[in-house]
Amino acid sequence: STAPGAAFAGSAPAALTHPAPAAGTHTLLVCPWRGDGHRDHRVVGEVCAALAAAMAAAPAPAAGPAGGTVRLVEYPIWLWHWGAPSAAAGAETAAPWSSFTALPVPRDIRAAKLAAIAAHRSQTAPLSSSPGDEALLNPTFLQNFDHDREVFIVSESPQHRGPEKRTPQLTADYFDDTYARHDDPWGFTDRWYEERKRAVTLAALPRAHFENTFEIGCSIGVLTAQLAPRTDRLLGVDIAPAAIERARQRLATDPHVELAVLDVAETFPAGAGPFDLILLSEVGYYFDEATLRRVLDGVAASLRPDGVFVACHWRHPVADYLQSGDGVHRVIAEVAATAGWTRSAHHLEEDFVLDVFAPDARSVAGQTGLL
């Protein structure tokens, strides 16, 4: 799995499922803001946002009244330290000023709030007199919480949205911001889920070695590094410069690997093909269907007559995705039929789907002379 993406893009820590809210009920889910810049706050916010999306997407009972509503409300903490009005519009951690709301804080509640903050001694008082043990939260920062109003970021209730107006793909700012906050946003290097999925992907390749490989959405280059020994030449691209920089560090000793910042929704690499292996892993759901079809047209035009195309995508719903992983593979199957590709491998499980396409309809045993 190689794609950049959103909070849970490509792979959430676990599949979050929840029954639809009961008819007539209204669920208020309050959590730290996902863009707050503090890892603990960010993770809790992402989990809560995924839970809210799962609850909103859960089907209502076949019979009976429609389900209730879910409202996600987030509160910023460190925004008051680093936020700026000029933050890039569209980035996940840009201050969403239009979604801000405020509630008055009565005097007794305000006093209780300040007392609770003061009781958090490990944050508000020195741990010791030794250098480096100073209080983590200084008085200037704490003044941000001594106000008569509490500020929240209110997400629109999914049940009350009108027809969605979505951009054809997420902007580069979205991914730049994600990589600015996390060295490894999707846990490619430390999640067994990711390690196992890479192993399944590599095992599904019908050949031991390729001449010219193109990896779309290489992210920080973890799968790239495992592909490198199996190809004479490898081009990995990603929309995020920070991801490419980290991939270059990882693959600095592999001169046959080229890494570049490129948006395949806009253009395919000129002069680098044709390729005998192209991978689209955890990328397709960042495009709407029309854009995905254009990307797949680029794949078809860049693939050698005997080339192999591999696609792999997360199957669970994610709020930031423009379509589902299953939807992506439905479109791929339609394009493959038109292009004359044969699906030589299909791996389907609850978490992800992987398909391998090639013009050669023979099995691996047939191609290698065993049949």
Side-chain angles (χ1 to χ4, degrees), residues 215-277:
E215 184 187 5
I216 300 172
C218 66
S219 188
I220 61 175
V222 181
L223 178 59
T224 318
Q226 293 180 279
L227 287 167
R230 295 183 60 176
T231 184
D232 295 331
R233 184 186 177 203
L234 172 56
L235 171 63
V237 302
D238 199 283
I239 194 174
I244 290 297
E245 180 57 33
R246 289 168 203 172
R248 285 174 177 157
Q249 295 172 10
R250 186 180 305 279
L251 291 133
T253 59
D254 294 280
H256 68 296
V257 177
E258 178 185 356
L259 298 159
V261 177
L262 183 72
D263 182 358
V264 294
E266 298 295 333
T267 183
F268 255 62
F275 303 99
D276 58 341
L277 174 61

Side-chain angles (χ1 to χ4, degrees), residues 23-273:
T25 65
H26 304 281
T27 300
L28 179 65
L29 182 58
V30 183
C31 64
W33 177 41
R34 286 163 284 173
D36 208 50
H38 185 292
R39 179 177 174 82
D40 295 347
H41 303 171
R42 185 260 303 172
V43 171
V44 171
E46 289 174 350
V47 170
C48 289
L51 177 59
M55 293 176 69
T69 61
V70 181
R71 174 60 61 90
L72 178 67
V73 173
E74 301 170 86
Y75 51 88
I77 298 174
W78 285 98
L79 167 68
W80 310 122
H81 176 69
W82 57 257
S86 60
E92 184 184 338
T93 56
W97 306 116
S98 62
S99 298
F100 274 30
T101 191
L103 293 176
V105 179
R107 182 172 300 181
D108 58 334
I109 300 298
R110 180 178 175 183
K113 172 186 172 183
L114 295 177
I117 293 175
H120 199 352
R121 301 292 295 169
S122 64
Q123 303 292 301
T124 59
L127 298 178
S128 75
S129 58
S130 301
D133 276 357
E134 297 82 6
L136 294 177
L137 306 182
N138 61 54
T140 301
F141 177 72
L142 291 173
Q143 286 178 6
N144 294 313
F145 308 99
D146 187 8
H147 295 289
D148 60 0
R149 291 185 179 272
E150 194 73 38
V151 174
F152 298 95
I153 298 162
V154 179
S155 299
E156 186 179 12
S157 176
Q159 292 91 338
H160 293 153
R161 290 176 184 160
E164 286 193 294
K165 297 180 180 179
R166 310 186 83 166
T167 57
Q169 65 176 112
L170 297 174
T171 66
D173 285 342
Y174 172 93
F175 299 106
D176 288 340
D177 181 72
T178 300
Y179 283 105
R181 292 187 295 127
H182 323 297
D183 289 335
D184 182 6
W186 294 279
F188 294 144
T189 59
D190 56 16
R191 285 180 178 163
W192 165 240
Y193 168 81
E194 295 293 344
E195 182 180 345
R196 174 180 175 270
K197 186 169 58 175
R198 287 194 299 274
V200 173
T201 301
L202 294 165
L205 299 179
R207 302 175 200 160
H209 200 81
F210 295 85
E211 294 181 11
N212 194 14
T213 297
F214 181 31
E215 184 187 5
I216 300 172
C218 66
S219 188
I220 61 175
V222 181
L223 178 59
T224 318
Q226 293 180 279
L227 287 167
R230 295 183 60 176
T231 184
D232 295 331
R233 184 186 177 203
L234 172 56
L235 171 63
V237 302
D238 199 283
I239 194 174
I244 290 297
E245 180 57 33
R246 289 168 203 172
R248 285 174 177 157
Q249 295 172 10
R250 186 180 305 279
L251 291 133
T253 59
D254 294 280
H256 68 296
V257 177
E258 178 185 356
L259 298 159
V261 177
L262 183 72
D263 182 358
V264 294
E266 298 295 333
T267 183
F268 255 62

Side-chain angles (χ1 to χ4, degrees), residues 4-16:
F8 278 83
S11 56
L16 289 176

Side-chain angles (χ1 to χ4, degrees), residues 199-207 230 308 310 344-345 347 354-356 364:
V200 173
T201 301
L202 294 165
L205 299 179
R207 302 175 200 160
R230 295 183 60 176
V308 174
V310 178
S344 60
H347 178 90
L354 182 144
D355 285 315
V356 179
V364 173

